[in-house]
Amino acid sequence: MDTMKAVVYRGKEQLGLVDRPMPKILAPEDAIVRVTRSTICSSDLHILHGSVPRAKEGVILGHEFVGVVTQVGTGVKKCRVGERVAVNVETFCGDCFYCRRGFVNNCEKGGWELGCRIDGCQAEFVRVPLADQGLHPIPDTVSDEDALLVGDVLSTGYWAAQIGEIEPASTVAVLGAGPTGLCTMMCARLYSPACIVAIDVNDERLSLARANGLCDIALNPARDDVEARLQALTEGRGADRVFEVAGAKDTFEMAWRIARPSAIVVLVALYPEAQSLPLHLMYGKNLTFKTGGVHANACGDILRLIEAGRLDTSCLLTHRAPLNDVLTGYRTFESMRDGCIKWVITPYER
């Protein structure tokens, strides 16, 4: 087979399912992976709408996937042909100044490349550079779909919860009950908070979070006074930890307002516009803000937690269809139609 089907970004608001050449090994550290499951991510929508200036026109989109290794370069030592793998959203060398300190998103030789600056996974096959760092064997007892979100959205939630320094018995507020927010909630549970409060304007998503035990309290800002409810819940203090995962017009302000003094606020969201930082209003709250792109260097740990039954993302995988129907998937995912949380792309059907 000389060509394959792939989703190509043609410029702002332009997307197509087209024939592209099969990927080839370009460097000794490369691997070729046959994609068995992939997804549509909010970051793909950001690219489509022109909100990611570094994204290249003509690139194959997609960065969240699992598959089977079909070919490896001569420099690949840690994975083998035929192995099922979860693939990291980030390309990183493992040896530069930043990688040695765990800051793999800032790798001097990579960062977020797949589906942004180099061809990604919404295709039948994909080339993965620096494969020894980017590929993670999936345990035999873990299915492809169980591992599907490991490389990106679940890594993001895991990283966010980790840098949030959640303490046992604390009150955690998560703004946004989309895929990343839901993953942040389930990862926050690993740290034994007393209460997780989900905040979103979508009642379906709030209900899903409650039904699956991802949150304890669900608040909708369209009808609930979120700040007052958090104050009442915490003896007038506010949330100990706030995770801003929504990236909506007013969610940044809400995040710092509902935090108690000396709280940690983790900004996970990617904002399409500049945000105002009114320091004169925050003065005296002594807040610590943490933000940035995920350092997705814990995929192995996450897979072990899935294997142990501590993390389960099956409730997020609401829709499935072959690559043939991916353009419908984009529309459904973006509009949240039919309760769509995650659209799973299965292999192309000829």
Side-chain angles (χ1 to χ4, degrees):
M1 189 166 67
D2 296 324
T3 63
M4 64 176 182
K5 294 295 184 182
V7 179
V8 173
Y9 169 60
R10 293 168 164 167
K12 187 175 180 180
E13 310 300 344
Q14 298 180 62
L15 195 66
L17 179 62
V18 302
D19 290 316
R20 287 290 290 266
M22 288 281 290
K24 298 179 180 179
I25 297 288
L26 300 180
E29 297 82 13
D30 290 351
I32 305 297
V33 175
R34 174 172 57 83
V35 180
T36 57
R37 291 290 188 277
S38 63
T39 71
I40 301 169
C41 182
S42 298
S43 300
D44 299 320
L45 298 178
H46 291 311
I47 291 175
L48 181 59
H49 298 323
S51 301
V52 184
R54 66 192 298 269
K56 290 186 175 181
E57 291 186 14
V59 76
I60 297 172
L61 290 178
H63 51 269
E64 189 169 57
F65 68 111
V66 296
V68 176
V69 179
T70 61
Q71 189 178 355
V72 296
T74 57
V76 176
K77 307 300 183 187
K78 296 181 182 179
C79 61
R80 65 182 189 276
V81 171
E83 199 165 33
R84 288 191 309 133
V85 290
V87 186
N88 199 305
V89 63
E90 289 163 342
T91 300
F92 61 98
C93 69
D95 194 47
C96 70
F97 174 91
Y98 296 104
C99 286
R100 289 196 303 270
R101 289 159 176 79
F103 307 142
V104 299
N105 185 53
N106 309 118
C107 174
E108 295 170 4
K109 298 179 181 179
W112 175 27
E113 298 286 295
L114 287 168
C116 181
R117 297 183 60 80
I118 63 174
D119 287 338
C121 67
Q122 288 172 12
E124 296 180 83
F125 292 82
V126 62
R127 179 182 71 92
V128 180
L130 300 171
D132 277 344
Q133 282 71 48
L135 302 183
H136 303 274
I138 299 173
D140 291 340
T141 57
V142 175
S143 73
D144 283 4
E145 289 199 358
D146 288 339
L148 177 55
L149 306 185
V150 166
D152 182 19
V153 69
L154 189 51
S155 276
T156 300
Y158 190 84
W159 164 80
Q162 186 176 52
I163 68 170
E165 302 177 38
I166 299 168
E167 297 178 347
S170 59
T171 298
V172 171
V174 180
L175 280 75
T180 309
L182 295 168
C183 284
T184 301
M185 294 175 209
M186 67 177 67
C187 291
R189 281 276 186 228
L190 299 172
Y191 295 88
S192 302
C195 182
I196 296 176
V197 181
I199 303 164
D200 202 291
V201 295
N202 186 312
D203 282 327
E204 281 188 67
R205 294 187 167 192
L206 291 175
S207 295
L208 183 146
R210 286 293 303 274
N212 289 277
L214 306 183
C215 73
D216 304 291
I217 296 173
L219 300 178
N220 186 330
R223 62 171 176 269
D224 297 316
D225 185 333
V226 174
E227 190 172 355
R229 291 288 299 275
L230 263 298
Q231 293 278 332
L233 185 65
T234 59
E235 299 178 333
R237 293 187 298 273
D240 300 294
R241 300 292 184 266
V242 179
F243 297 87
E244 208 296 76
V245 198
K249 184 177 180 180
D250 56 355
T251 49
F252 172 73
E253 180 176 355
M254 181 182 291
W256 66 261
R257 283 192 178 279
I258 65 175
R260 67 157 167 80
S262 297
I264 294 176
V265 179
V266 181
L267 306 174
V268 185
L270 175 62
Y271 296 102
E273 301 173 342
Q275 300 296 305
S276 173
L277 191 66
L279 295 175
H280 63 297
L281 299 178
M282 297 177 184
Y283 190 80
K285 288 198 79 168
N286 294 72
L287 298 175
T288 297
F289 288 91
K290 297 188 177 185
T291 185
V294 55
H295 295 304
N297 55 358
C299 292
D301 291 342
I302 294 170
L303 283 165
R304 284 188 285 275
L305 288 166
I306 292 172
E307 188 177 24
R310 300 287 304 282
L311 292 173
D312 179 3
T313 58
S314 58
C315 63
L316 277 65
L317 308 182
T318 55
H319 292 63
R320 293 166 185 81
L323 184 60
N324 314 54
D325 300 327
V326 69
L327 300 184
T328 298
Y330 265 85
R331 292 189 292 270
T332 303
F333 176 68
E334 180 165 26
S335 65
M336 307 181 211
R337 198 163 61 237
D338 302 325
C340 184
I341 301 291
K342 268 291 189 180
W343 182 283
V344 179
I345 304 171
T346 60
Y348 187 80
E349 296 180 358
R350 285 182 163 75

